[in-house]
Every structure is written in structure tokens, then in C-alpha cells.
Amino acid sequence: MSWVKAYARRHRLGIFLFLLFGIIFAMVVFLYQLPMEPAIYAIGLCCAVGGAVLVVDSVRYRKKVEELEWQLEAVKNGTQKLPPPGDEIERLYQMLLENAQTEWFCQVGEIMKEKSEVTDYFTLWTHQIKTPIAAMHLLLQQIPPDQGQCYGQVREVEAELFKIEQYVDMVLQYLRLNSNVNDFVLQEYGLDNIIRQAVRKYAPMFIRKKLTLHYEPLQRKVVTDEKWLVFVLEQILSNAIKYTSSGDIFIYMENGCLVVKDTGIGILPEDLPRIFDKGYTGYNGRSDKKASGIGLYLVKKILGKLGHKVLVESVPGEGTQVKLLF
């Protein structure tokens, strides 16, 4: 039993001295050739009393250990204070623990306050930055298409502005996902409507890169959160478009899974296990120089909160399949 070993280790000095005194007593009796009968009787009484004290003290020690173990779990849950100290040493230890706990609470409070301030700032920033983005879109739309080369540059500026807007949305969703507020509303939605919202947003990118979208109405309903699932599909489509220079993108159902398939550059086998890690960009991301490694991390985390699953299959040079299981 572990508590017996712990008790013996804690009281090893007292046990050693008791045995040493018994040996010394026996040696003195032997050397002075004293009568053995009273000596044996005295040693027996000492052993009986010592054994009884040892048993009683070990039982008290065991109860103390069990009480502290129970109190440890209670203190972790914040439901109980420490038990009354048994002696001065325990009192001092409890004072050290209480001081450390107070300091920990103060540090956690400061960290939470700083995190809240940063979150509030970036939330405000993401909302404010959308106003100049919308204004720039309107200004660019006022330039007539008969400006030749200038109009082509305008279209390029619009494409870059679209990327800025996409990154702003990603920041906002990241802040919402990591906040303490539950922003999920689960109910039954038509999957086609969700897909169309994501496709409509990236329609200009399909046209610009001359990619062909293969999509037929699925006539399926799923229990999910519309806003968050649209964001997930937008991230998946964004990656499909980004890493497909020419070819096709397919959206269809297969064995109960929603599949988004592209004919792009694919993902290396050694990168596949880590594509959902926060900040991991892989070989393709390092080649692109602009990947953040946040998009797929958010996809995995959001789907986990929604109760959905995601699976990625890819062959380098042939394309990638992203499967969503509802």
C-alpha cells in the first residue's frame, strides 16, 4: 500500500531511533549479565506500547492523507477551503499556498483584462475598417470599363481589395471563436443556400482565374449554424481557388459527405497531418509567401464546435478533396 510506504518514509527517523534504543537496551542487559526475564518483559512492554502508538498514528496519518486528497479536488473546483492545520508547519504551508493562490488569481485577472482589451480593440478595428473598404469598392465601380489598361489595373486592385476584406473577416471570426460568448445557433438549414452564399462571394475569383465550377443543387438539409458554415465553405473555396491555376472545382455529395474537390497543385503527404495546426503553412504556403496558416485551423475548430467532421485527401499535382461530414 502506497500510504504505508509514505508513512514509513515520513517517520523513518523515529522508527530507526526506537529500534536503536531497543538494541542498546538489549546489549546493556547482555553485557552486564542482568537477569533476562525482567529485561525481556520490559522490551516486550516497550514493543507493545510502541506498536500500538505506531498503529494509531498510522491510521491518523491515512485519514489525514485521504482528507487532503479530497480537499485537493475540492480546492481545484473552487468549492472548499483548505482544512484546519494540524500544527505550525501545516499552518505555514497553508499560508504559502494561499499567498500563491492569491498571486495566481491576480495574474490571471490581469491577463484576462489585457485579453479583453485586445479583443475589444480588434473587434472595433475590424468593424471600422469595413467602412473604407466599402468606400473603395464604390469608388472603383465608378471607373468606366472603357479606360483600357487603366480598367485592367482597377480590376487587379479590386481583387487585392477582396483579399483584404477576406482577411478582415477572418480576424473577426477568429476573435468571435476564441471569445467566451457562445455565438452558435444550431437549427436545420438548406445546404444549397449555404453553398450558394459562399460561391456567390467568390464568383469574381472564379471568373478572373477562368475556373469552371461544377455544382448541381443537392436538395439536402443539415443541422448546423448557417453563418459559421458559410465561413467554413468560404475558407475551403478560397484555398481551392488559390492553389488551382487552371481547371475545375467540384461541389457534390458523396456517401453523406459534402465534397469540395479541385484540380490544383495538391498537398504533400508529409503536410497532410498538420494542415489544421495553427500557423502551419506547409510547402504550398511557404511557396506562396502569403499564407497565414489560420484558415484551416479555424475550419477545424469551427466544425468541431458544430459537431461536424472534416477530412482532407490530396494527391500532389492532381488536386485536393475536402470532405465535410454532418
Side-chain angles (χ1 to χ4, degrees):
M1 292 181 291
S2 59
W3 70 270
V4 174
K5 294 180 180 179
Y7 177 82
R9 187 163 52 250
R10 180 181 177 88
H11 297 86
R12 58 183 179 275
L13 180 60
I15 296 174
F16 172 75
L17 290 176
F18 181 82
L19 294 176
L20 180 62
F21 293 158
I23 293 173
I24 292 174
F25 183 77
M27 290 179 62
V28 169
V29 170
F30 176 76
L31 291 174
Y32 281 89
Q33 297 182 353
L34 297 176
M36 294 300 297
E37 184 175 350
I40 293 175
Y41 182 71
I43 293 174
L45 285 177
C46 290
C47 290
V49 173
V53 171
L54 193 65
V55 170
V56 172
D57 190 56
S58 64
V59 170
R60 291 177 57 191
Y61 176 81
R62 181 181 179 182
K63 290 181 178 179
K64 185 72 172 179
V65 169
E66 291 176 349
E67 180 183 3
L68 288 174
E69 288 177 346
W70 182 85
Q71 290 286 346
L72 178 62
E73 294 299 321
V75 170
K76 284 182 180 179
N77 298 327
T79 57
Q80 289 287 340
K81 295 183 178 180
L82 292 171
D87 53 29
E88 186 65 14
I89 293 179
E90 287 189 4
R91 187 185 69 82
L92 292 174
Y93 271 125
Q94 287 191 10
M95 289 180 62
L96 289 174
L97 288 174
E98 289 174 356
N99 290 338
Q101 188 179 46
T102 302
E103 182 67 21
W104 180 79
F105 278 127
C106 291
Q107 292 179 359
V108 170
E110 289 295 326
I111 293 173
M112 295 301 296
K113 181 180 178 181
E114 293 177 3
K115 181 181 177 181
S116 177
E117 291 176 352
V118 171
T119 300
D120 292 342
Y121 171 77
F122 278 104
T123 302
L124 178 63
W125 177 84
T126 53
H127 285 290
Q128 289 180 333
I129 200 66
K130 287 186 176 184
T131 301
I133 289 175
M136 284 187 284
H137 275 302
L138 291 175
L139 292 172
L140 290 173
Q141 290 174 4
Q142 293 176 3
I143 299 176
D146 57 353
Q147 296 293 322
Q149 183 179 359
C150 179
Y151 184 74
Q153 293 175 349
V154 169
R155 300 283 74 81
E156 293 299 326
V157 173
E158 284 184 341
E160 296 303 319
L161 193 58
F162 175 80
K163 293 179 182 178
I164 294 175
E165 192 172 12
Q166 180 186 6
Y167 293 144
V168 170
D169 286 338
M170 187 182 298
V171 171
L172 185 58
Q173 299 300 343
Y174 180 83
L175 292 173
R176 287 174 176 170
L177 188 64
N178 289 281
S179 68
N180 295 326
V181 179
N182 187 355
D183 192 36
F184 293 92
V185 179
L186 298 177
Q187 62 185 50
E188 192 175 63
Y189 294 96
L191 193 55
D192 288 309
N193 182 51
I194 294 175
I195 294 173
R196 289 191 186 100
Q197 291 183 54
V199 170
R200 191 179 302 117
K201 180 176 180 179
Y202 285 90
M205 302 300 295
F206 278 100
I207 297 172
R208 188 176 305 279
K209 298 192 71 172
K210 298 181 174 61
L211 299 176
T212 303
L213 175 64
H214 299 268
Y215 164 66
E216 295 292 337
L218 306 177
Q219 306 296 332
R220 290 289 300 272
K221 291 186 177 182
V222 294
V223 176
T224 186
D225 183 286
E226 182 181 31
K227 179 184 68 176
W228 286 100
L229 187 58
V230 168
F231 176 78
V232 167
L233 289 176
E234 287 176 356
Q235 295 303 309
I236 295 172
L237 282 176
S238 174
N239 283 344
I241 295 171
K242 182 190 300 184
Y243 297 113
T244 304
S245 57
S246 62
D248 306 274
I249 293 178
F250 304 84
I251 301 178
Y252 57 93
M253 294 295 297
E254 181 182 77
N255 299 326
C257 297
L258 176 64
V259 182
V260 180
K261 178 182 177 182
D262 63 63
T263 56
I265 60 177
I267 304 172
L268 296 178
E270 56 268 27
D271 287 336
L272 272 177
R274 299 182 59 190
I275 59 175
F276 294 110
D277 292 351
K278 184 178 180 180
Y280 185 75
T281 58
Y283 176 80
N284 295 338
R286 290 189 293 271
S287 301
D288 182 61
K289 305 296 184 183
K290 299 177 182 178
S292 62
I294 298 297
L296 288 180
Y297 162 77
L298 291 177
V299 166
K300 180 74 171 181
K301 195 167 184 179
I302 291 170
L303 291 177
K305 288 181 176 290
L306 291 175
H308 308 329
K309 295 182 180 179
V310 59
L311 175 66
V312 177
E313 299 175 355
S314 184
V315 177
E318 296 184 11
T320 301
Q321 292 186 53
V322 180
K323 299 181 178 181
L324 304 183
L325 178 60
F326 302 103

